[in-house]
Each structure stands twice: as structure tokens, then as C-alpha cells.
Amino acid sequence: MMCDHGFNLSDYRQAFIEGGIESQWETGLARLCSGQPQKDDEGYAHLLDAPPNLIDMAAFFRAERDRLETGLAETAARAHAPGHDQLPG
């Protein structure tokens, strides 16, 4: 999967930011996490020899989403922590 190639959801999110459509990344992520393809989705099975099933993919993306959101929240909390702007010594 993505993690086997050094790709993560931060990269996915960054692609939306760089494309100027940051507001749409959560919609895309929600679709990945749902495990429910759209009617016109061509699928991915033809791209891989042994593709993961939709249940496994949705579980993977939900776990990655939770990990990313936790990291973003921790970063924001540290940025707002007392003394964050103070220089040592």
C-alpha cells in the first residue's frame, strides 16, 4: 500500500494544498475512508496483481486519518503552549 512506498496522508494532504484545493482534501479522505466507490469509479484492481479489498483499504485510511489528525492536534497544542515563543536562557 501507500506506506510500502514512503507515501502517507500528509503527502496526500500536501498535494491538495499545492494544488490550491486544500478545502477538498477532507472530502477525498472521507471517500477513501468510506470504502464505498462512486458509481463512475473505474477502480484500482486492474493496477495491482493482488489488490487489497475495500474493507481493508477503508480500515487503513481510517487508521492513517486518525494518526494524522492526532499529530496535527499535538502540533497545534504545542504551538499554543505557554512558553512556546520564549527563547532558552
Side-chain angles (χ1 to χ4, degrees):
M1 280 212 189
M2 292 188 327
C3 57
D4 295 335
H5 301 283
F7 181 83
N8 60 46
L9 281 185
S10 292
D11 298 322
Y12 177 77
R13 181 174 178 250
Q14 190 62 34
F16 281 83
I17 293 169
E18 290 175 10
I21 54 171
E22 181 178 4
S23 63
Q24 295 180 30
W25 93 273
E26 288 186 12
T27 300
L29 181 58
R31 289 179 180 162
L32 292 171
C33 291
S34 76
Q36 299 293 322
Q38 293 180 296
K39 284 184 177 184
D40 60 349
D41 190 332
E42 296 176 8
Y44 61 92
H46 64 284
L47 300 174
L48 303 168
D49 291 333
N53 64 48
L54 288 176
I55 293 170
D56 291 342
M57 282 191 56
F60 169 81
F61 283 111
R62 284 192 298 269
E64 289 298 307
R65 175 203 56 208
D66 294 348
R67 187 173 298 122
L68 176 64
E69 288 177 351
T70 299
L72 292 172
E74 289 171 350
T75 299
R78 281 193 299 273
H80 290 92
H84 177 73
D85 294 332
Q86 296 177 355
L87 296 174

